[in-house]
Amino acid sequence: MKWEENVRRVVPYTPGEQPQKTGVIKLNTNENPYAPAPGVAKAAAALDAEKFRLYPAFPEKTALAEELAARCHIGTDQIFIGVGSDDVLSMAFMTFFQSGRPILFPDITYSFYDVWADVYQIPYERKALDQDFQIRPADYKKPNGGVIFPNPNAPTGVLMPLEAVEEIVAANRDVVVIVDEAYIDFGGTSALPLIEKYDNLLVVQTFSKSRSMAGMRIGFACGHPALIRYLNDVKYSVNSYTMNTAALELGVEAVRDEAYFEACCQKIMDTRARAEERLLKLGFVFPKSCANFIFASHQTMPAREIFERLQENDIYVRWWDKDRISNYLRITIGTDEQMEILYQALGRIFHLP
Ligand code: PMP
């Protein structure tokens, strides 16, 4: 068809599977195995459907923005709220990476970055992680059109110390550096305080992991008010009403309950520590994870085979047929009960007594 010559062609991002059958142990998309804070369920039950008649509020004018600003010790003019951090990151790519020079990100990283770069026609260069899957700050000290990396990195779980993050931000004052902190609450130190010092730093976080709200789609970015203004200008030039009324109302409750949030993250970190021991005993090796998943390779059985055998047992983990990582599985930390089922299945797969 002739019109196909003028189509923007992209290879879309492939998210992990969302199996619809019940009884599945789902350790493939880094969801939180625990319910959101109890206040979220209460607020959900109290939602007034009559209100859905109206367009939603502008996110930056809501109680959610106030609550987040208070928690982050910043002003509401330093926060941008979007439909999950994917929406926030996509807007940030569109807004900040316009120089025509290549943006930089790691070779092993969140596989949405190259997709956004392609769809927005932004050139990019991938910088190889070292053998231990560490980001090398020196790689990010050359002329570029912007920098983005997750901290902790995904899918490796490897955390970069805050000093190294600052080193990269400080070396790139003429471009925007985006730190994607989707997993920062599971043991990392956030770069958030650095936004007061660096007007080129955008820190992005999400409610999808540590706040158990992946289905509600809430993410946010923090940065200098000028960064936030530019983001809003682009966002309001694409779609005025991205966040829905329910998400804006329920999100507040997830932020208010700090005690629940902390206890929930701690439970996952404790389960992760136990998982490290069990996986080691089962013959896996992995870098130290500061996220709610472990990126593990088995010493004898190929990752693909384990992945397939687990799936036959209705246990879903994530595997990529990609350079450097095709012998790794990314295993999301579930409840202790779910993890026990995983270890038992692995024991059977490896024919352990
Ligand atoms: N960044 C990273 C590194 C991720 O792994 C994910 C989850 N797929 C996201 C951002 C996006 O998460 P969400 O849109 O649910 O906030």
Side-chain angles (χ1 to χ4, degrees):
M1 296 165 286
K2 181 88 176 122
W3 54 261
E4 283 183 297
E5 287 168 17
N6 299 316
V7 168
R8 178 167 299 208
R9 291 174 190 232
V10 282
V11 181
Y13 169 75
T14 325
E17 222 179 309
Q18 293 295 108
Q20 291 306 308
K21 59 179 174 180
T22 51
V24 163
I25 307 277
K26 197 172 173 304
L27 307 175
N28 68 336
T29 49
N30 298 341
E31 287 143 329
N32 196 311
Y34 302 107
V40 174
K42 269 197 216 131
L47 275 177
D48 179 4
E50 203 273 335
K51 268 200 202 159
F52 298 164
R53 217 167 40 74
L54 302 174
Y55 282 109
F58 298 119
E60 64 275 19
K61 301 265 161 51
T62 58
L64 178 58
E66 303 273 346
E67 238 6 274
L68 276 175
R71 180 177 187 272
C72 300
H73 308 292
I74 56 180
T76 50
D77 61 346
Q78 291 170 289
I79 296 187
F80 173 89
I81 305 176
V83 189
S85 52
D86 280 343
D87 176 48
V88 175
L89 290 164
S90 144
M91 287 290 147
F93 267 63
M94 213 193 308
T95 309
F96 300 121
F97 294 158
Q98 287 294 312
S99 70
R101 288 190 304 274
I103 61 163
L104 309 179
F105 50 81
D107 63 338
I108 302 169
T109 197
Y110 186 31
S111 49
F112 223 139
Y113 297 161
D114 54 342
V115 175
W116 285 315
D118 286 338
V119 74
Y120 298 132
Q121 301 178 342
I122 299 161
Y124 59 91
E125 270 175 41
R126 293 186 170 103
K127 296 291 167 194
L129 299 181
D130 74 12
Q131 317 182 83
D132 300 323
F133 291 150
Q134 305 264 4
I135 289 175
R136 292 181 283 216
D139 290 343
Y140 298 83
K141 295 181 183 173
K142 53 167 278 194
N144 63 68
V147 174
I148 177 156
F149 54 86
N151 198 36
N153 196 6
T156 63
V158 173
L159 181 76
M160 198 185 338
L162 192 55
E163 305 77 67
V165 174
E166 180 163 6
E167 202 184 318
I168 294 176
V169 178
N172 285 285
R173 295 307 305 265
D174 294 340
V175 296
V176 174
V177 177
I178 303 176
V179 183
D180 175 357
E181 294 191 337
Y183 303 102
I184 197 70
D185 298 322
F186 301 105
T189 308
S190 174
L192 235 166
L194 295 179
I195 67 168
E196 303 293 352
K197 193 164 160 195
Y198 298 99
D199 55 28
N200 62 319
L201 169 63
L202 193 74
V203 176
V204 178
Q205 295 191 1
T206 178
F207 283 41
S208 298
K209 320 292 179 182
S210 53
R211 295 184 192 275
S212 310
M213 299 275 276
M216 268 291 138
R217 313 304 302 128
I218 308 171
F220 61 103
C222 305
H224 188 278
L227 285 178
I228 301 304
R229 258 196 322 273
Y230 284 121
L231 260 181
N232 271 318
D233 286 349
V234 169
K235 173 254 160 97
Y236 283 111
S237 307
V238 175
N239 182 349
S240 311
Y241 305 106
T242 49
M243 302 290 297
N244 68 70
T245 302
L248 288 167
E249 290 191 10
L250 304 189
V252 184
E253 300 302 325
V255 188
R256 277 193 186 137
D257 200 337
E258 187 77 20
Y260 181 89
F261 163 74
E262 276 171 17
C264 199
C265 292
Q266 193 55 54
K267 268 203 286 194
I268 289 170
M269 289 188 277
D270 292 347
T271 304
R272 182 180 67 204
R274 288 189 282 274
E276 284 169 354
E277 277 175 35
R278 297 292 291 273
L279 292 174
L280 272 179
K281 278 195 194 136
L282 285 159
F284 285 95
V285 288
F286 41 84
K288 181 180 159 37
S289 169
C290 280
N292 65 338
F293 53 82
I294 292 179
F295 195 53
S297 181
H298 196 260
Q299 282 162 325
T300 54
M301 193 178 281
R304 180 187 195 143
E305 196 176 334
I306 305 173
F307 168 77
E308 286 168 355
R309 301 281 298 277
L310 284 175
Q311 198 138 316
E312 286 160 19
N313 285 273
D314 281 342
I315 300 173
Y316 286 66
V317 297
R318 196 84 194 265
W319 171 75
W320 288 270
D321 190 7
K322 276 193 183 168
D323 206 28
R324 287 188 83 186
I325 60 169
S326 60
N327 205 24
Y328 282 82
L329 297 172
R330 192 196 64 191
I331 305 168
T332 303
I333 303 298
T335 61
D336 283 315
E337 294 72 28
Q338 291 175 319
M339 298 306 282
E340 192 56 47
I341 295 170
L342 168 76
Y343 311 138
Q344 298 297 332
L346 288 168
R348 286 196 303 276
I349 290 168
F350 302 141
H351 303 295
L352 298 178

